[in-house]
């Protein structure tokens, strides 16, 4: 597996589940398929669990690592190009309560990142992500209200996109 594909940082795992618990979304767009990257075999890890009623859609940035279990964990899996290429057939009416972008930005081209972020801003009520990519932080600040979350020196962002300032697609 490519270097960095697997996520083992316990803070990332804690923040993923804790912010989802606190925000209580009914629909989640998981860009990069975090549960796949931590090696989860269910919607649970480290005594934390996603409620089965949550509609979980994964955006697969790592299709070379496709295992049948992830088609059971995720309600729907979208190839990355369907959300980064406007003509690729992604349903433009899809909407999500929450988008999660943890350690996916470093694996995408600049064009893919911008298209994914733009998709999230237009289709998600809230976005959470790590702030390891300064361009992501700047994009979030330009497109909504941001709140920083720190845990043991690591920074995460909760972004509420400003839908009124966005251009219609």
């Amino acid at each position: 597996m490519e270097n960095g594909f697997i996520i083992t940082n316990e803070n990332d795992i804690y923040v993923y589940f804790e912010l989802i618990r606190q925000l209580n979304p009914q629909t989640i767009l998981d860009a990069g398929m975090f549960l796949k990257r931590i090696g989860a075999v269910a919607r649970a890890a480290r005594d934390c669990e996603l409620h089965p009623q949550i509609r979980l859609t994964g955006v697969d940035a790592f299709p070379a690592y496709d295992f049948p279990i992830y088609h059971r964990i995720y309600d729907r899996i979208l190839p990355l190009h369907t959300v980064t290429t406007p003509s690729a057939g992604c349903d433009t009416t899809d909407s999500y309560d929450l988008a999660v972008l943890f350690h996916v930005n470093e694996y995408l081209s600049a064009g893919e990142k911008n298209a994914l972020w733009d998709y999230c801003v237009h289709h998600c009520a809230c976005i959470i992500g790590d702030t390891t990519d300064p361009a992501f932080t700047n994009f979030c600040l330009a497109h909504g209200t941001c709140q920083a979350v720190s845990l043991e020196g690591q920074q995460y962002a909760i972004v509420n996109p400003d839908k009124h300032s966005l251009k219609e697609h």
Side-chain angles (χ1 to χ4, degrees):
M1 291 193 171
E2 63 190 82
N3 189 24
F5 168 79
I6 298 295
I7 295 173
T8 58
N9 184 303
E10 291 195 24
N11 288 343
D12 291 338
I13 296 167
Y14 172 78
V15 168
Y16 176 88
F17 283 102
E18 183 59 21
L19 288 178
I20 290 172
R21 184 189 67 74
Q22 289 180 21
L23 296 170
N24 195 29
Q26 297 304 303
T27 56
I28 298 173
L29 181 70
D30 184 354
M33 296 179 61
F34 185 81
L35 294 174
K36 174 180 177 177
R37 296 183 61 210
I38 65 170
V41 294
R43 288 184 174 205
R46 307 251 193 320
D47 296 326
C48 300
E49 183 176 0
L50 294 182
H51 194 279
Q53 297 303 314
I54 294 174
R55 183 172 53 95
L56 185 60
T57 299
V59 177
D60 198 353
F62 307 96
Y65 309 113
D66 186 29
F67 302 103
I69 190 67
Y70 298 110
H71 295 274
R72 294 184 62 179
I73 292 173
Y74 289 87
D75 297 303
R76 183 176 172 204
I77 298 175
L78 303 172
L80 177 64
H81 76 276
T82 63
V83 296
T84 60
T85 308
S87 61
C90 191
D91 189 346
T92 57
T93 62
D94 282 350
S95 65
Y96 303 90
D97 297 327
L98 179 65
V100 179
L101 291 95
F102 276 24
H103 301 292
V104 69
N105 293 324
E106 57 261 39
Y107 297 98
L108 305 179
S109 70
E112 289 172 326
K113 287 191 285 191
N114 286 323
L116 175 61
W117 301 339
D118 187 61
Y119 182 87
C120 290
V121 164
H122 284 84
H123 295 272
C124 304
C126 184
I127 303 166
I128 59 173
D130 64 90
T131 59
T132 55
D133 184 341
F136 174 67
T137 305
N138 292 335
F139 182 90
C140 293
L141 289 169
H143 290 88
T145 305
C146 298
Q147 176 184 351
V149 175
S150 296
L151 180 62
E152 295 181 354
Q154 291 180 266
Q155 293 283 322
Y156 304 89
I158 302 173
V159 183
N160 293 299
D162 181 4
K163 304 294 186 192
H164 301 292
S165 67
L166 300 173
K167 296 182 290 187
E168 290 298 318
H169 281 187

